[in-house]
Structures are given as structure tokens and as C-alpha cells.
Amino acid sequence: MQFNFKARDWHNWTSVILAIPLLIVGLTSIFLAHKKELKLNELDLTSAVSWLPGYGNNTITHPRTEIRASLMDTDGSQWIGTQAGLYRMVAGRSEAIKELGDAPVRDLVRAPWGLVVATKYGIWVLNEQGWSRPLKGDAWNASLGQDGQVAVSVKDQGLLLSRDGLDWQPAEGVAASLAALPPTEAIAERITLGKLMIDLHTGKAFFGKNWEWVWIDILGAIWGFLGFTGLYLWWRSQTKRRDAARGKLLQEAQHG
């Protein structure tokens, strides 16, 4: 048996294999740079991607025992916030709060007018009318003031205040006070080698945090272009080879 090594064939097939991940990385990089504007986290594709090896039944199931917050209520029950939903425990038995689904819970606070739950997908409130989500966003910490007002910190929105759980307003005085800090009291960002590597990778070191998407878009477009052109050139070479083989067979048939 003779081994016929064709370097060009190996090169072509290797290029095709490498072009696919290049194309995936390039396109996904651009989407990630604009995920907030495109609202990518609001699109649930669980059922559509379950066939992928990395999304098997065991890998996409969140551990419900990973507790993130807890609250002892006035009626003796206990609220347990986990990485995959909110639960209410009464007499040793737990009940899942279906309204919140599998939303990761960050904090819980009991106000005179209801229960406030800070989750990754917004602020949830339980009052006499039942559960509602008056505000969407990535909520973190919740605290109760002496006047019954609740404060919740929300990503990209700052500290929000509410006296009824329905109307949430920014704590403008807090933001103004922090912004008025003199330069000597401001904490300078510490740049370690690890942070520098990350900022070079994301483009923050070149464009800053607010404009790092420019760097990601440029790299994503380059990777996507290389992946697409690689697949196109491979397809063209295969097409030419096929056409040449057909032409040769046709000539042989005509002369035969």
C-alpha cells in the first residue's frame, strides 16, 4: 500500500477546519460587544441549543443549593435566594417561587409595604397584589432605611430608591456627592500585569471602557473576514477541481 501525501490537500483541509472557529470567534465577538444594545440576554434559546455537547442536561442545570441570600420573615417563614431562583421555607418545607423562575437572587429585604428581591434580571416586589417586576436590570444590593424607603443598586443605573416598590428613582444626592470628591480622595486604579493583559485583550487600554467595543469590532471583523474568505477559497478550489475532473472525463469520452 502506497501512502500518497499531498501537501496541498492537507493544507486546504486544515485551512477549512481552522476557518470555522475563526468565523465563529469573529462573529460572536461583535455580538458580545453590543449585547446590551441587542438585548441578547433577554433571548432564551435553551430548547434550541440543547443538542450542543456543552449544553447537555447535566451541564445546563444550575445547582439550586447555591444560596446567595436569606431572610427571616415576620411570620416565621424563611426566604432563600439561590443562583437559580427564590424559595420560601415553612416548617422545613421549601416552595419555589414560580414568578421569578430561575433568576439569580442577589439580596432580599422586607419593607413595610412588601418584600423586595434584587435579582440579575431586575427588582421583584411582593405586596398585597402579588408578585411584580417594576424594574428590569442587573440588581445587586438592597437595604431598608429608617423611613421605610428601600435602596437597591442596579448596574448602569446606580442607586435607586423607592417608598412603595413600584416607583424607583435615582439617588441623585449620592451620585453628586461621590462625583464631588476631591482628586486626593479618589482611589486611583491599580494596573497589575494581569489587568494589563486583559485590557490589551479587550481594547480598554487603547480606547477606554466606554469605547472598547471599537477594538472588539475591529478584531471580530478581521477574524470573521479571514474565516469567511478561507471557506470561500476552499470552496472555489474544490469547485475548480471538480470542474476539471468532469472536463477530463468528458474529453476522454469524446475521444473514446
Side-chain angles (χ1 to χ4, degrees), residues 35 41-42 62 68 82-83 85 100 102-107 117-124 133 135-140 153-155 157:
K35 65 178 181 179
N41 288 335
E42 298 182 12
H62 295 289
R68 295 300 180 88
T82 72
Q83 180 64 13
L100 272 70
D102 61 351
V105 177
R106 270 69 179 275
D107 207 353
V117 185
T119 76
K120 183 177 180 179
Y121 306 135
I123 300 176
W124 288 82
R133 182 173 59 168
L135 184 73
K136 294 183 179 180
D138 193 353
W140 287 89
S153 57
V154 182
K155 184 178 180 180
Q157 300 185 49

Side-chain angles (χ1 to χ4, degrees), residues 72-84:
M72 298 297 298
D73 216 336
T74 54
D75 59 359
S77 63
Q78 184 177 14
W79 297 93
I80 301 294
T82 72
Q83 180 64 13

Side-chain angles (χ1 to χ4, degrees), residues 68-210:
R68 295 300 180 88
S70 66
L71 175 68
M72 298 297 298
D73 216 336
T74 54
D75 59 359
S77 63
Q78 184 177 14
W79 297 93
I80 301 294
T82 72
Q83 180 64 13
L86 177 66
Y87 298 84
R88 182 171 180 261
M89 297 188 64
V90 180
R93 300 185 61 181
S94 60
E95 174 190 2
I97 306 303
K98 298 179 180 180
E99 287 80 359
L100 272 70
D102 61 351
V105 177
R106 270 69 179 275
D107 207 353
L108 300 159
V109 65
R110 165 62 71 178
W113 34 263
L115 177 70
V116 178
V117 185
T119 76
K120 183 177 180 179
Y121 306 135
I123 300 176
W124 288 82
V125 176
L126 174 62
N127 52 26
E128 296 179 353
Q129 287 72 40
W131 285 100
S132 64
R133 182 173 59 168
L135 184 73
K136 294 183 179 180
D138 193 353
W140 287 89
N141 176 264
S143 60
L144 176 65
Q146 294 182 352
D147 57 352
Q149 187 173 223
V150 172
V152 177
S153 57
V154 182
K155 184 178 180 180
D156 299 327
Q157 300 185 49
L159 189 65
L160 303 180
L161 305 175
S162 178
R163 296 183 181 276
D164 57 6
L166 301 178
D167 181 30
W168 294 86
Q169 299 294 329
E172 298 179 356
V174 175
S177 177
L178 293 175
L181 285 175
T184 55
E185 296 185 18
I187 300 176
E189 187 177 15
R190 183 169 174 261
I191 308 299
T192 63
L193 179 58
K195 178 172 177 53
L196 176 62
M197 293 299 101
I198 294 176
D199 291 345
L200 288 174
H201 178 78
T202 61
K204 180 181 177 181
F206 306 114
F207 297 97
K209 180 64 178 177
N210 295 331

